[in-house]
Amino acid sequence: MARPRKKGLDYFPLDCRLDVKFELIEAEFGLKGFAIVVKLLQKIYALDGYYCEWNEDISLLFARKNLSSSDGTNLIDTVVQASIRRGIFSKELYEKYGILTSSGIQKRYLEACVRREKVEMKKEYLLINVDINQVNTYSNPINVDNNSKNVDHNPQSKVKKSK
């Protein structure tokens, strides 16, 4: 029996210089607000890769896991709403499907999955234009495992010095 295909990512890129949206979240909520957004990005990229469902129950579990204070759920919900208002997450898809995603998240996900044989995405969740063939299958003409240069073999040879 074949192993199931991996959906999410093991890691994701986080730019050193974030845009104004993130700065505004940090200005409004401090480092906790910034940490909540980064933890949400970790959740998105780790599970399905380009979105995550978001509702009261998920928010409660997220707060329990990531914040020790009793008012954690309120803070998380407030940060999520501010993130949606500022465009970090798509307002349209949140209201329609109850998910957190954005076009930037989806672009980075596809860039990270470029070497995967098959990437499946829900058409109704897509915010970016992608070629169906690009999403379903990807063929890379370069085999990264077969390199013509043998890195283990050094062309220099050691010669014993004569006295």
Side-chain angles (χ1 to χ4, degrees), residues 82-106:
S83 299
I84 291 170
R85 185 176 70 245
R86 293 206 166 92
I88 293 174
F89 302 118
S90 167
K91 181 178 182 180
E92 177 189 341
L93 292 183
Y94 175 73
E95 291 174 350
K96 192 171 183 179
Y97 299 108
I99 64 167
L100 298 178
T101 190
S102 72
S103 59
I105 290 169
Q106 293 178 5

mmCIF file with all atom_site columns, all heavy atoms in Angstrom, residues 82-106:
data_model
loop_
_atom_site.group_PDB
_atom_site.id
_atom_site.type_symbol
_atom_site.label_atom_id
_atom_site.label_alt_id
_atom_site.label_comp_id
_atom_site.label_asym_id
_atom_site.label_entity_id
_atom_site.label_seq_id
_atom_site.pdbx_PDB_ins_code
_atom_site.Cartn_x
_atom_site.Cartn_y
_atom_site.Cartn_z
_atom_site.occupancy
_atom_site.B_iso_or_equiv
_atom_site.pdbx_formal_charge
_atom_site.auth_seq_id
_atom_site.auth_comp_id
_atom_site.auth_asym_id
_atom_site.auth_atom_id
_atom_site.pdbx_PDB_model_num
ATOM 1   N N   . ALA A 1 82  ? -8.432  41.494 13.421 1.00 0.00 ? 82  ALA A N   1
ATOM 2   C CA  . ALA A 1 82  ? -7.568  42.593 12.977 1.00 0.00 ? 82  ALA A CA  1
ATOM 3   C C   . ALA A 1 82  ? -6.733  42.166 11.767 1.00 0.00 ? 82  ALA A C   1
ATOM 4   O O   . ALA A 1 82  ? -6.514  42.966 10.847 1.00 0.00 ? 82  ALA A O   1
ATOM 5   C CB  . ALA A 1 82  ? -6.667  43.053 14.118 1.00 0.00 ? 82  ALA A CB  1
ATOM 6   N N   . SER A 1 83  ? -6.285  40.911 11.756 1.00 0.00 ? 83  SER A N   1
ATOM 7   C CA  . SER A 1 83  ? -5.510  40.395 10.625 1.00 0.00 ? 83  SER A CA  1
ATOM 8   C C   . SER A 1 83  ? -6.365  40.321 9.363  1.00 0.00 ? 83  SER A C   1
ATOM 9   O O   . SER A 1 83  ? -5.878  40.607 8.263  1.00 0.00 ? 83  SER A O   1
ATOM 10  C CB  . SER A 1 83  ? -4.941  39.013 10.947 1.00 0.00 ? 83  SER A CB  1
ATOM 11  O OG  . SER A 1 83  ? -4.086  39.078 12.056 1.00 0.00 ? 83  SER A OG  1
ATOM 12  N N   . ILE A 1 84  ? -7.603  39.964 9.523  1.00 0.00 ? 84  ILE A N   1
ATOM 13  C CA  . ILE A 1 84  ? -8.519  39.926 8.375  1.00 0.00 ? 84  ILE A CA  1
ATOM 14  C C   . ILE A 1 84  ? -8.794  41.351 7.893  1.00 0.00 ? 84  ILE A C   1
ATOM 15  O O   . ILE A 1 84  ? -8.759  41.634 6.696  1.00 0.00 ? 84  ILE A O   1
ATOM 16  C CB  . ILE A 1 84  ? -9.832  39.197 8.754  1.00 0.00 ? 84  ILE A CB  1
ATOM 17  C CG1 . ILE A 1 84  ? -9.551  37.710 8.966  1.00 0.00 ? 84  ILE A CG1 1
ATOM 18  C CG2 . ILE A 1 84  ? -10.899 39.414 7.690  1.00 0.00 ? 84  ILE A CG2 1
ATOM 19  C CD1 . ILE A 1 84  ? -10.700 36.935 9.579  1.00 0.00 ? 84  ILE A CD1 1
ATOM 20  N N   . ARG A 1 85  ? -9.035  42.249 8.824  1.00 0.00 ? 85  ARG A N   1
ATOM 21  C CA  . ARG A 1 85  ? -9.313  43.652 8.482  1.00 0.00 ? 85  ARG A CA  1
ATOM 22  C C   . ARG A 1 85  ? -8.131  44.279 7.742  1.00 0.00 ? 85  ARG A C   1
ATOM 23  O O   . ARG A 1 85  ? -8.306  45.071 6.837  1.00 0.00 ? 85  ARG A O   1
ATOM 24  C CB  . ARG A 1 85  ? -9.626  44.428 9.762  1.00 0.00 ? 85  ARG A CB  1
ATOM 25  C CG  . ARG A 1 85  ? -10.034 45.856 9.553  1.00 0.00 ? 85  ARG A CG  1
ATOM 26  C CD  . ARG A 1 85  ? -10.420 46.557 10.847 1.00 0.00 ? 85  ARG A CD  1
ATOM 27  N NE  . ARG A 1 85  ? -9.248  46.781 11.695 1.00 0.00 ? 85  ARG A NE  1
ATOM 28  C CZ  . ARG A 1 85  ? -9.050  46.218 12.884 1.00 0.00 ? 85  ARG A CZ  1
ATOM 29  N NH1 . ARG A 1 85  ? -9.945  45.399 13.400 1.00 0.00 ? 85  ARG A NH1 1
ATOM 30  N NH2 . ARG A 1 85  ? -7.953  46.462 13.583 1.00 0.00 ? 85  ARG A NH2 1
ATOM 31  N N   . ARG A 1 86  ? -6.915  43.903 8.113  1.00 0.00 ? 86  ARG A N   1
ATOM 32  C CA  . ARG A 1 86  ? -5.712  44.492 7.510  1.00 0.00 ? 86  ARG A CA  1
ATOM 33  C C   . ARG A 1 86  ? -5.244  43.736 6.265  1.00 0.00 ? 86  ARG A C   1
ATOM 34  O O   . ARG A 1 86  ? -4.260  44.116 5.654  1.00 0.00 ? 86  ARG A O   1
ATOM 35  C CB  . ARG A 1 86  ? -4.599  44.539 8.542  1.00 0.00 ? 86  ARG A CB  1
ATOM 36  C CG  . ARG A 1 86  ? -4.937  45.515 9.656  1.00 0.00 ? 86  ARG A CG  1
ATOM 37  C CD  . ARG A 1 86  ? -3.720  46.064 10.327 1.00 0.00 ? 86  ARG A CD  1
ATOM 38  N NE  . ARG A 1 86  ? -4.072  47.199 11.135 1.00 0.00 ? 86  ARG A NE  1
ATOM 39  C CZ  . ARG A 1 86  ? -4.397  47.134 12.422 1.00 0.00 ? 86  ARG A CZ  1
ATOM 40  N NH1 . ARG A 1 86  ? -4.410  45.983 13.041 1.00 0.00 ? 86  ARG A NH1 1
ATOM 41  N NH2 . ARG A 1 86  ? -4.696  48.230 13.086 1.00 0.00 ? 86  ARG A NH2 1
ATOM 42  N N   . GLY A 1 87  ? -5.903  42.654 5.915  1.00 0.00 ? 87  GLY A N   1
ATOM 43  C CA  . GLY A 1 87  ? -5.577  41.949 4.678  1.00 0.00 ? 87  GLY A CA  1
ATOM 44  C C   . GLY A 1 87  ? -4.522  40.871 4.807  1.00 0.00 ? 87  GLY A C   1
ATOM 45  O O   . GLY A 1 87  ? -4.047  40.355 3.796  1.00 0.00 ? 87  GLY A O   1
ATOM 46  N N   . ILE A 1 88  ? -4.150  40.486 6.016  1.00 0.00 ? 88  ILE A N   1
ATOM 47  C CA  . ILE A 1 88  ? -3.213  39.376 6.175  1.00 0.00 ? 88  ILE A CA  1
ATOM 48  C C   . ILE A 1 88  ? -3.899  38.078 5.766  1.00 0.00 ? 88  ILE A C   1
ATOM 49  O O   . ILE A 1 88  ? -3.296  37.206 5.162  1.00 0.00 ? 88  ILE A O   1
ATOM 50  C CB  . ILE A 1 88  ? -2.677  39.309 7.623  1.00 0.00 ? 88  ILE A CB  1
ATOM 51  C CG1 . ILE A 1 88  ? -1.811  40.539 7.907  1.00 0.00 ? 88  ILE A CG1 1
ATOM 52  C CG2 . ILE A 1 88  ? -1.890  38.036 7.869  1.00 0.00 ? 88  ILE A CG2 1
ATOM 53  C CD1 . ILE A 1 88  ? -1.346  40.670 9.337  1.00 0.00 ? 88  ILE A CD1 1
ATOM 54  N N   . PHE A 1 89  ? -5.180  37.964 6.101  1.00 0.00 ? 89  PHE A N   1
ATOM 55  C CA  . PHE A 1 89  ? -6.004  36.835 5.683  1.00 0.00 ? 89  PHE A CA  1
ATOM 56  C C   . PHE A 1 89  ? -7.165  37.361 4.853  1.00 0.00 ? 89  PHE A C   1
ATOM 57  O O   . PHE A 1 89  ? -7.617  38.491 5.030  1.00 0.00 ? 89  PHE A O   1
ATOM 58  C CB  . PHE A 1 89  ? -6.533  36.056 6.889  1.00 0.00 ? 89  PHE A CB  1
ATOM 59  C CG  . PHE A 1 89  ? -5.454  35.520 7.791  1.00 0.00 ? 89  PHE A CG  1
ATOM 60  C CD1 . PHE A 1 89  ? -5.357  35.930 9.107  1.00 0.00 ? 89  PHE A CD1 1
ATOM 61  C CD2 . PHE A 1 89  ? -4.531  34.599 7.324  1.00 0.00 ? 89  PHE A CD2 1
ATOM 62  C CE1 . PHE A 1 89  ? -4.360  35.446 9.939  1.00 0.00 ? 89  PHE A CE1 1
ATOM 63  C CE2 . PHE A 1 89  ? -3.528  34.104 8.141  1.00 0.00 ? 89  PHE A CE2 1
ATOM 64  C CZ  . PHE A 1 89  ? -3.442  34.532 9.458  1.00 0.00 ? 89  PHE A CZ  1
ATOM 65  N N   . SER A 1 90  ? -7.686  36.537 3.957  1.00 0.00 ? 90  SER A N   1
ATOM 66  C CA  . SER A 1 90  ? -8.770  36.920 3.058  1.00 0.00 ? 90  SER A CA  1
ATOM 67  C C   . SER A 1 90  ? -10.098 37.032 3.806  1.00 0.00 ? 90  SER A C   1
ATOM 68  O O   . SER A 1 90  ? -10.576 36.050 4.387  1.00 0.00 ? 90  SER A O   1
ATOM 69  C CB  . SER A 1 90  ? -8.903  35.894 1.940  1.00 0.00 ? 90  SER A CB  1
ATOM 70  O OG  . SER A 1 90  ? -10.096 36.071 1.230  1.00 0.00 ? 90  SER A OG  1
ATOM 71  N N   . LYS A 1 91  ? -10.685 38.211 3.753  1.00 0.00 ? 91  LYS A N   1
ATOM 72  C CA  . LYS A 1 91  ? -11.987 38.440 4.392  1.00 0.00 ? 91  LYS A CA  1
ATOM 73  C C   . LYS A 1 91  ? -13.077 37.648 3.675  1.00 0.00 ? 91  LYS A C   1
ATOM 74  O O   . LYS A 1 91  ? -13.933 37.040 4.312  1.00 0.00 ? 91  LYS A O   1
ATOM 75  C CB  . LYS A 1 91  ? -12.315 39.934 4.368  1.00 0.00 ? 91  LYS A CB  1
ATOM 76  C CG  . LYS A 1 91  ? -13.620 40.285 5.032  1.00 0.00 ? 91  LYS A CG  1
ATOM 77  C CD  . LYS A 1 91  ? -13.866 41.778 5.015  1.00 0.00 ? 91  LYS A CD  1
ATOM 78  C CE  . LYS A 1 91  ? -15.156 42.102 5.737  1.00 0.00 ? 91  LYS A CE  1
ATOM 79  N NZ  . LYS A 1 91  ? -15.427 43.546 5.748  1.00 0.00 ? 91  LYS A NZ  1
ATOM 80  N N   . GLU A 1 92  ? -13.022 37.636 2.357  1.00 0.00 ? 92  GLU A N   1
ATOM 81  C CA  . GLU A 1 92  ? -14.029 36.945 1.546  1.00 0.00 ? 92  GLU A CA  1
ATOM 82  C C   . GLU A 1 92  ? -14.098 35.448 1.868  1.00 0.00 ? 92  GLU A C   1
ATOM 83  O O   . GLU A 1 92  ? -15.170 34.903 2.118  1.00 0.00 ? 92  GLU A O   1
ATOM 84  C CB  . GLU A 1 92  ? -13.715 37.157 0.068  1.00 0.00 ? 92  GLU A CB  1
ATOM 85  C CG  . GLU A 1 92  ? -14.647 36.426 -0.866 1.00 0.00 ? 92  GLU A CG  1
ATOM 86  C CD  . GLU A 1 92  ? -14.175 36.479 -2.318 1.00 0.00 ? 92  GLU A CD  1
ATOM 87  O OE1 . GLU A 1 92  ? -13.351 37.341 -2.663 1.00 0.00 ? 92  GLU A OE1 1
ATOM 88  O OE2 . GLU A 1 92  ? -14.642 35.623 -3.095 1.00 0.00 ? 92  GLU A OE2 1
ATOM 89  N N   . LEU A 1 93  ? -12.934 34.779 1.874  1.00 0.00 ? 93  LEU A N   1
ATOM 90  C CA  . LEU A 1 93  ? -12.935 33.336 2.124  1.00 0.00 ? 93  LEU A CA  1
ATOM 91  C C   . LEU A 1 93  ? -13.224 33.012 3.589  1.00 0.00 ? 93  LEU A C   1
ATOM 92  O O   . LEU A 1 93  ? -13.789 31.962 3.883  1.00 0.00 ? 93  LEU A O   1
ATOM 93  C CB  . LEU A 1 93  ? -11.609 32.715 1.677  1.00 0.00 ? 93  LEU A CB  1
ATOM 94  C CG  . LEU A 1 93  ? -11.362 32.723 0.169  1.00 0.00 ? 93  LEU A CG  1
ATOM 95  C CD1 . LEU A 1 93  ? -10.059 32.028 -0.165 1.00 0.00 ? 93  LEU A CD1 1
ATOM 96  C CD2 . LEU A 1 93  ? -12.509 32.080 -0.584 1.00 0.00 ? 93  LEU A CD2 1
ATOM 97  N N   . TYR A 1 94  ? -12.862 33.901 4.488  1.00 0.00 ? 94  TYR A N   1
ATOM 98  C CA  . TYR A 1 94  ? -13.184 33.687 5.901  1.00 0.00 ? 94  TYR A CA  1
ATOM 99  C C   . TYR A 1 94  ? -14.698 33.732 6.102  1.00 0.00 ? 94  TYR A C   1
ATOM 100 O O   . TYR A 1 94  ? -15.267 32.870 6.774  1.00 0.00 ? 94  TYR A O   1
ATOM 101 C CB  . TYR A 1 94  ? -12.500 34.728 6.789  1.00 0.00 ? 94  TYR A CB  1
ATOM 102 C CG  . TYR A 1 94  ? -12.906 34.605 8.231  1.00 0.00 ? 94  TYR A CG  1
ATOM 103 C CD1 . TYR A 1 94  ? -12.434 33.555 9.020  1.00 0.00 ? 94  TYR A CD1 1
ATOM 104 C CD2 . TYR A 1 94  ? -13.775 35.507 8.811  1.00 0.00 ? 94  TYR A CD2 1
ATOM 105 C CE1 . TYR A 1 94  ? -12.818 33.418 10.341 1.00 0.00 ? 94  TYR A CE1 1
ATOM 106 C CE2 . TYR A 1 94  ? -14.165 35.386 10.130 1.00 0.00 ? 94  TYR A CE2 1
ATOM 107 C CZ  . TYR A 1 94  ? -13.685 34.338 10.890 1.00 0.00 ? 94  TYR A CZ  1
ATOM 108 O OH  . TYR A 1 94  ? -14.082 34.209 12.197 1.00 0.00 ? 94  TYR A OH  1
ATOM 109 N N   . GLU A 1 95  ? -15.348 34.725 5.507  1.00 0.00 ? 95  GLU A N   1
ATOM 110 C CA  . GLU A 1 95  ? -16.797 34.860 5.667  1.00 0.00 ? 95  GLU A CA  1
ATOM 111 C C   . GLU A 1 95  ? -17.560 33.764 4.924  1.00 0.00 ? 95  GLU A C   1
ATOM 112 O O   . GLU A 1 95  ? -18.580 33.280 5.403  1.00 0.00 ? 95  GLU A O   1
ATOM 113 C CB  . GLU A 1 95  ? -17.253 36.239 5.191  1.00 0.00 ? 95  GLU A CB  1
ATOM 114 C CG  . GLU A 1 95  ? -16.781 37.356 6.098  1.00 0.00 ? 95  GLU A CG  1
ATOM 115 C CD  . GLU A 1 95  ? -17.093 38.740 5.563  1.00 0.00 ? 95  GLU A CD  1
ATOM 116 O OE1 . GLU A 1 95  ? -17.516 38.871 4.384  1.00 0.00 ? 95  GLU A OE1 1
ATOM 117 O OE2 . GLU A 1 95  ? -16.901 39.711 6.322  1.00 0.00 ? 95  GLU A OE2 1
ATOM 118 N N   . LYS A 1 96  ? -17.073 33.361 3.766  1.00 0.00 ? 96  LYS A N   1
ATOM 119 C CA  . LYS A 1 96  ? -17.780 32.375 2.951  1.00 0.00 ? 96  LYS A CA  1
ATOM 120 C C   . LYS A 1 96  ? -17.555 30.937 3.417  1.00 0.00 ? 96  LYS A C   1
ATOM 121 O O   . LYS A 1 96  ? -18.494 30.146 3.484  1.00 0.00 ? 96  LYS A O   1
ATOM 122 C CB  . LYS A 1 96  ? -17.333 32.521 1.489  1.00 0.00 ? 96  LYS A CB  1
ATOM 123 C CG  . LYS A 1 96  ? -18.183 31.777 0.499  1.00 0.00 ? 96  LYS A CG  1
ATOM 124 C CD  . LYS A 1 96  ? -17.809 32.166 -0.921 1.00 0.00 ? 96  LYS A CD  1
ATOM 125 C CE  . LYS A 1 96  ? -18.713 31.484 -1.918 1.00 0.00 ? 96  LYS A CE  1
ATOM 126 N NZ  . LYS A 1 96  ? -18.393 31.861 -3.298 1.00 0.00 ? 96  LYS A NZ  1
ATOM 127 N N   . TYR A 1 97  ? -16.291 30.576 3.747  1.00 0.00 ? 97  TYR A N   1
ATOM 128 C CA  . TYR A 1 97  ? -15.962 29.184 4.064  1.00 0.00 ? 97  TYR A CA  1
ATOM 129 C C   . TYR A 1 97  ? -15.440 28.971 5.487  1.00 0.00 ? 97  TYR A C   1
ATOM 130 O O   . TYR A 1 97  ? -15.221 27.833 5.895  1.00 0.00 ? 97  TYR A O   1
ATOM 131 C CB  . TYR A 1 97  ? -14.910 28.647 3.081  1.00 0.00 ? 97  TYR A CB  1
ATOM 132 C CG  . TYR A 1 97  ? -15.368 28.656 1.650  1.00 0.00 ? 97  TYR A CG  1
ATOM 133 C CD1 . TYR A 1 97  ? -14.847 29.570 0.746  1.00 0.00 ? 97  TYR A CD1 1
ATOM 134 C CD2 . TYR A 1 97  ? -16.315 27.743 1.191  1.00 0.00 ? 97  TYR A CD2 1
ATOM 135 C CE1 . TYR A 1 97  ? -15.254 29.579 -0.580 1.00 0.00 ? 97  TYR A CE1 1
ATOM 136 C CE2 . TYR A 1 97  ? -16.728 27.744 -0.126 1.00 0.00 ? 97  TYR A CE2 1
ATOM 137 C CZ  . TYR A 1 97  ? -16.199 28.664 -1.013 1.00 0.00 ? 97  TYR A CZ  1
ATOM 138 O OH  . TYR A 1 97  ? -16.613 28.665 -2.321 1.00 0.00 ? 97  TYR A OH  1
ATOM 139 N N   . GLY A 1 98  ? -15.171 30.048 6.218  1.00 0.00 ? 98  GLY A N   1
ATOM 140 C CA  . GLY A 1 98  ? -14.627 29.903 7.564  1.00 0.00 ? 98  GLY A CA  1
ATOM 141 C C   . GLY A 1 98  ? -13.192 29.404 7.568  1.00 0.00 ? 98  GLY A C   1
ATOM 142 O O   . GLY A 1 98  ? -12.815 28.579 8.394  1.00 0.00 ? 98  GLY A O   1
ATOM 143 N N   . ILE A 1 99  ? -12.384 29.909 6.626  1.00 0.00 ? 99  ILE A N   1
ATOM 144 C CA  . ILE A 1 99  ? -10.981 29.501 6.548  1.00 0.00 ? 99  ILE A CA  1
ATOM 145 C C   . ILE A 1 99  ? -10.079 30.736 6.600  1.00 0.00 ? 99  ILE A C   1
ATOM 146 O O   . ILE A 1 99  ? -10.506 31.845 6.290  1.00 0.00 ? 99  ILE A O   1
ATOM 147 C CB  . ILE A 1 99  ? -10.675 28.702 5.264  1.00 0.00 ? 99  ILE A CB  1
ATOM 148 C CG1 . ILE A 1 99  ? -10.887 29.554 4.018  1.00 0.00 ? 99  ILE A CG1 1
ATOM 149 C CG2 . ILE A 1 99  ? -11.472 27.428 5.210  1.00 0.00 ? 99  ILE A CG2 1
ATOM 150 C CD1 . ILE A 1 99  ? -10.325 28.951 2.753  1.00 0.00 ? 99  ILE A CD1 1
ATOM 151 N N   . LEU A 1 100 ? -8.832  30.498 7.008  1.00 0.00 ? 100 LEU A N   1
ATOM 152 C CA  . LEU A 1 100 ? -7.813  31.541 6.986  1.00 0.00 ? 100 LEU A CA  1
ATOM 153 C C   . LEU A 1 100 ? -6.825  31.206 5.876  1.00 0.00 ? 100 LEU A C   1
ATOM 154 O O   . LEU A 1 100 ? -6.241  30.118 5.856  1.00 0.00 ? 100 LEU A O   1
ATOM 155 C CB  . LEU A 1 100 ? -7.075  31.607 8.328  1.00 0.00 ? 100 LEU A CB  1
ATOM 156 C CG  . LEU A 1 100 ? -7.917  31.963 9.543  1.00 0.00 ? 100 LEU A CG  1
ATOM 157 C CD1 . LEU A 1 100 ? -7.067  31.932 10.804 1.00 0.00 ? 100 LEU A CD1 1
ATOM 158 C CD2 . LEU A 1 100 ? -8.590  33.317 9.376  1.00 0.00 ? 100 LEU A CD2 1
ATOM 159 N N   . THR A 1 101 ? -6.661  32.115 4.934  1.00 0.00 ? 101 THR A N   1
ATOM 160 C CA  . THR A 1 101 ? -5.713  31.979 3.833  1.00 0.00 ? 101 THR A CA  1
ATOM 161 C C   . THR A 1 101 ? -5.498  33.346 3.214  1.00 0.00 ? 101 THR A C   1
ATOM 162 O O   . THR A 1 101 ? -6.184  34.313 3.581  1.00 0.00 ? 101 THR A O   1
ATOM 163 C CB  . THR A 1 101 ? -6.206  30.976 2.761  1.00 0.00 ? 101 THR A CB  1
ATOM 164 O OG1 . THR A 1 101 ? -5.142  30.719 1.856  1.00 0.00 ? 101 THR A OG1 1
ATOM 165 C CG2 . THR A 1 101 ? -7.427  31.465 2.033  1.00 0.00 ? 101 THR A CG2 1
ATOM 166 N N   . SER A 1 102 ? -4.575  33.435 2.295  1.00 0.00 ? 102 SER A N   1
ATOM 167 C CA  . SER A 1 102 ? -4.348  34.666 1.537  1.00 0.00 ? 102 SER A CA  1
ATOM 168 C C   . SER A 1 102 ? -3.649  34.296 0.234  1.00 0.00 ? 102 SER A C   1
ATOM 169 O O   . SER A 1 102 ? -3.155  33.175 0.078  1.00 0.00 ? 102 SER A O   1
ATOM 170 C CB  . SER A 1 102 ? -3.491  35.656 2.329  1.00 0.00 ? 102 SER A CB  1
ATOM 171 O OG  . SER A 1 102 ? -2.161  35.216 2.392  1.00 0.00 ? 102 SER A OG  1
ATOM 172 N N   . SER A 1 103 ? -3.591  35.241 -0.674 1.00 0.00 ? 103 SER A N   1
ATOM 173 C CA  . SER A 1 103 ? -2.900  34.966 -1.939 1.00 0.00 ? 103 SER A CA  1
ATOM 174 C C   . SER A 1 103 ? -1.404  34.757 -1.698 1.00 0.00 ? 103 SER A C   1
ATOM 175 O O   . SER A 1 103 ? -0.782  33.913 -2.336 1.00 0.00 ? 103 SER A O   1
ATOM 176 C CB  . SER A 1 103 ? -3.137  36.091 -2.946 1.00 0.00 ? 103 SER A CB  1
ATOM 177 O OG  . SER A 1 103 ? -2.687  37.326 -2.431 1.00 0.00 ? 103 SER A OG  1
ATOM 178 N N   . GLY A 1 104 ? -0.815  35.496 -0.772 1.00 0.00 ? 104 GLY A N   1
ATOM 179 C CA  . GLY A 1 104 ? 0.604   35.322 -0.452 1.00 0.00 ? 104 GLY A CA  1
ATOM 180 C C   . GLY A 1 104 ? 0.899   33.949 0.114  1.00 0.00 ? 104 GLY A C   1
ATOM 181 O O   . GLY A 1 104 ? 1.904   33.313 -0.238 1.00 0.00 ? 104 GLY A O   1
ATOM 182 N N   . ILE A 1 105 ? 0.038   33.471 0.991  1.00 0.00 ? 105 ILE A N   1
ATOM 183 C CA  . ILE A 1 105 ? 0.194   32.123 1.571  1.00 0.00 ? 105 ILE A CA  1
ATOM 184 C C   . ILE A 1 105 ? 0.136   31.083 0.462  1.00 0.00 ? 105 ILE A C   1
ATOM 185 O O   . ILE A 1 105 ? 0.952   30.159 0.415  1.00 0.00 ? 105 ILE A O   1
ATOM 186 C CB  . ILE A 1 105 ? -0.894  31.866 2.639  1.00 0.00 ? 105 ILE A CB  1
ATOM 187 C CG1 . ILE A 1 105 ? -0.636  32.720 3.877  1.00 0.00 ? 105 ILE A CG1 1
ATOM 188 C CG2 . ILE A 1 105 ? -0.973  30.392 2.999  1.00 0.00 ? 105 ILE A CG2 1
ATOM 189 C CD1 . ILE A 1 105 ? -1.780  32.735 4.879  1.00 0.00 ? 105 ILE A CD1 1
ATOM 190 N N   . GLN A 1 106 ? -0.808  31.231 -0.448 1.00 0.00 ? 106 GLN A N   1
ATOM 191 C CA  . GLN A 1 106 ? -0.969  30.261 -1.520 1.00 0.00 ? 106 GLN A CA  1
ATOM 192 C C   . GLN A 1 106 ? 0.219   30.284 -2.485 1.00 0.00 ? 106 GLN A C   1
ATOM 193 O O   . GLN A 1 106 ? 0.690   29.233 -2.924 1.00 0.00 ? 106 GLN A O   1
ATOM 194 C CB  . GLN A 1 106 ? -2.288  30.507 -2.255 1.00 0.00 ? 106 GLN A CB  1
ATOM 195 C CG  . GLN A 1 106 ? -3.480  30.221 -1.372 1.00 0.00 ? 106 GLN A CG  1
ATOM 196 C CD  . GLN A 1 106 ? -4.815  30.508 -2.038 1.00 0.00 ? 106 GLN A CD  1
ATOM 197 O OE1 . GLN A 1 106 ? -4.884  30.853 -3.210 1.00 0.00 ? 106 GLN A OE1 1
ATOM 198 N NE2 . GLN A 1 106 ? -5.888  30.371 -1.270 1.00 0.00 ? 106 GLN A NE2 1
#
